[in-house]
Amino acid sequence: QVQLVESGGDLVQPGGSLRLSCAASGFPLDSYAIGWFRQAPEKEREGISCIGIGNSNPYYVDSVKGRFTISRDNARNTVYLQMNNLKPEDTAVYYCAAVNFCTDYGPGGTRYWGQGTQVTVSS
């Protein structure tokens, strides 16, 4: 059974850090690019980061550049999103997805979605 499971979401104060994990089962994670998306209340889901199969030139949306880092550990079949200097506007449900490719504008060709993990940034 193909499955992506996110974890690591939590309530954190502004300026804090979290590391989200996206663990895959039922398929080899290194066969796909992996995108991270987020959806805030009453907003559309947006692709915020993407890492290709070869780990080169990861994509970040402007609002998270310099604060978020995407990485993958193929041996653990897991992709991570390190989030530093979190802001209240980062509050959202975060999803990972196996995608066909990363572009200069974000992840594309979504194949499998995770169920999401809640990140809340508040004092």
Side-chain angles (χ1 to χ4, degrees), residues 4-92:
L4 288 169
V5 178
E6 302 94 334
S7 62
D10 205 345
L11 170 64
V12 63
Q13 292 187 342
S17 297
L18 286 174
R19 187 177 78 158
L20 304 184
S21 298
C22 171
S25 60
F27 70 100
L29 200 65
D30 58 4
S31 296
Y32 292 94
I34 300 296
W36 280 99
F37 298 75
R38 68 185 180 186
Q39 187 165 18
E42 300 182 0
K43 291 191 176 180
E44 291 188 356
R45 189 175 299 189
E46 65 169 339
I48 61 169
S49 186
C50 192
I51 187 166
I53 294 174
N55 295 340
S56 61
N57 298 324
Y59 165 84
Y60 300 98
V61 71
D62 285 347
S63 59
V64 308
K65 277 181 183 176
R67 300 188 298 123
F68 291 11
T69 303
I70 191 171
S71 63
R72 64 193 305 160
D73 184 340
N74 290 333
R76 288 184 166 82
N77 231 27
T78 302
V79 170
Y80 303 98
L81 186 68
Q82 178 67 41
M83 307 188 296
N84 298 328
N85 190 22
L86 283 160
K87 304 176 180 181
E89 51 264 41
D90 294 318
T91 295

